[in-house]
Amino acid sequence: MKLSSLLTPERILIDVREKDKNAILTYLVNEIGKIGGINDVEALNKEVMDREALGNTGIGRGIGFPHAKSDHVNSLQVLLALPAKPIDYGSLDGVPVSIILFIVAPKDGDNNEYLHTMARISRLLGKSNVREQIIKAKTPNEIVNIVADNEA
Amino acid sequence: MKSLNKILLNLDAAVESQHALDFAVFLAKNCSATIIAVNIVNKNVVTNLARFSDNSIAEIEVELEENGWRYLYDAEEKAKSQEARIVIIQEYGYPEQALPKLAAEYKVDMIIIGQNPQIRKDVVQGKIAEQLIEHAPCAVLVVN
């Protein structure tokens, strides 16, 4: 499945104003919970936080890539968020994060689909011109189009 | 000896890569270090596969990327199960060039790679460990 078909406009959050990394991650878990596909938002939030404690998901170049496979997720969910200001994420390269791509999947679900999606995200955000376009985007629909145009 | 805070671990399809992972997890756990596990989509491998495949370069790259994420995901699960800290990333390029660059960028204390001793005798493949040792800004551990 293409990333552009997973990243629908309601899964793209622009101008997120939570004050720090943990607050943003909790916000993202809650937003995914509202969309659906999550059976226990609080438990998922704890898993995401526990995952961060075992290794930061700030992968450098201004990208946060929180991800988890969980018993509290019913189906693969992807959400993209742009903080209002780059946030201190404790990333590998120390660069504050401007784009967060959040992916969660069922623990016993299709591992291929999960890895396929992670690969597509990595490929897309590996392109500096795409990152710049996404950061400058003003609307979710604009980002949907950027993703669709740049997806292999 | 200074403390060991960050370990850059190269993960690929080689069996020795799994031995390197075991070593990295052991060190990370005992030294409270963080493993930065990287899979490099090797441009040489892409070019070589393209010569013998009906698939396009883009299709080969996608396949290698997905395989790479599988190694990274498995490594993450193993590290998590042993409560070792880990970060996973994927890069594109040539391992002998990308690894020293990443080591400098992330200020790592050690690079760990797995490589078959027979491969090290190969003129092309063998140069990865050799060049890495020559150019790395930190200690390099090659695991058989």
Side-chain angles (χ1 to χ4, degrees):
Chain A
M1 184 182 283
K2 285 202 159 190
L3 192 55
S4 48
S5 55
L6 286 168
L7 261 182
T8 50
E10 69 271 19
R11 291 164 194 273
I12 297 173
L13 309 170
I14 288 177
D15 202 26
V16 175
R17 292 178 181 272
E18 302 302 314
K19 63 179 171 35
D20 59 29
K21 174 185 163 183
N22 284 354
I24 285 193
L25 292 179
T26 298
Y27 175 72
L28 298 187
V29 172
N30 286 331
E31 288 301 307
I32 280 192
K34 285 180 198 167
I35 292 167
I38 310 295
N39 60 41
D40 188 336
V41 170
E42 213 166 291
L44 176 62
N45 190 48
K46 185 179 180 312
E47 285 187 0
V48 169
M49 293 301 169
D50 288 348
R51 169 65 190 85
E52 285 299 317
L54 271 179
N56 201 299
T57 56
I59 58 173
R61 296 170 189 153
I63 303 165
F65 194 12
H67 55 273
K69 289 193 84 175
S70 168
D71 288 331
H72 309 296
V73 176
N74 300 325
S75 58
L76 181 78
Q77 303 289 334
V78 180
L79 196 145
L80 186 147
L82 302 183
K85 288 181 185 171
I87 58 160
D88 180 7
Y89 204 92
S91 298
L92 281 175
D93 57 4
V95 175
V97 160
S98 304
I99 302 173
I100 300 173
L101 234 155
F102 186 36
I103 172 169
V104 288
K107 199 161 209 162
D108 298 324
D110 182 352
N111 210 26
N112 286 335
E113 187 188 20
Y114 179 64
L115 297 170
H116 180 75
T117 307
M118 289 186 82
R120 284 191 173 276
I121 291 170
S122 171
R123 184 179 181 80
L124 185 79
L125 295 181
K127 300 172 186 167
S128 60
N129 63 322
V130 174
R131 294 198 299 272
E132 285 166 19
Q133 287 177 55
I134 289 175
I135 291 167
K136 286 180 187 163
K138 303 288 181 208
T139 66
N141 278 322
E142 216 178 309
I143 293 178
V144 170
N145 291 334
I146 293 166
V147 172
D149 290 347
N150 288 281
E151 204 166 11
Chain B
M1 183 190 168
K2 66 173 187 172
S3 59
L4 187 63
N5 294 317
K6 290 181 188 170
I7 299 164
L8 183 64
L9 169 70
N10 182 54
L11 284 177
D12 57 27
V15 174
E16 291 76 13
S17 196
Q18 292 305 307
H19 301 161
L21 167 63
D22 291 339
F23 221 100
V25 169
F26 174 81
L27 283 177
K29 199 175 170 187
N30 285 286
C31 300
S32 299
T34 297
I35 301 166
I36 301 168
V38 59
N39 168 257
I40 298 169
V41 179
N42 190 331
K43 286 183 179 174
N44 275 332
V45 174
V46 173
T47 308
N48 288 336
L49 286 176
R51 286 185 193 146
F52 304 105
S53 170
D54 293 332
N55 292 339
S56 68
I57 284 184
E59 286 169 331
I60 291 168
E61 282 178 349
V62 167
E63 192 182 337
L64 291 177
E65 285 164 13
E66 288 184 20
N67 287 340
W69 277 105
R70 192 176 309 280
Y71 312 139
L72 291 169
Y73 172 75
D74 290 345
E76 186 178 60
E77 289 298 298
K78 181 174 263 188
K80 277 162 59 181
S81 71
Q82 298 187 38
E83 297 185 341
R85 293 174 61 84
I86 187 167
V87 179
I88 55 175
I89 53 174
Q90 189 170 64
E91 292 285 328
Y92 300 84
Y94 304 99
E96 64 274 24
Q97 294 172 6
L99 291 169
K101 196 174 158 199
L102 289 170
E105 187 180 348
Y106 298 145
K107 297 182 175 63
V108 307
D109 304 296
M110 179 183 277
I111 301 172
I112 303 181
I113 66 166
Q115 200 173 55
N116 186 304
Q118 292 306 315
I119 294 273
R120 281 204 288 282
K121 292 175 188 165
D122 183 273
V123 177
V124 179
Q125 291 291 314
K127 73 177 182 182
I128 294 177
E130 196 179 305
Q131 290 196 11
L132 185 57
I133 291 165
E134 190 175 335
H135 298 294
C138 60
V140 177
L141 177 64
V142 182
V143 180
N144 285 341

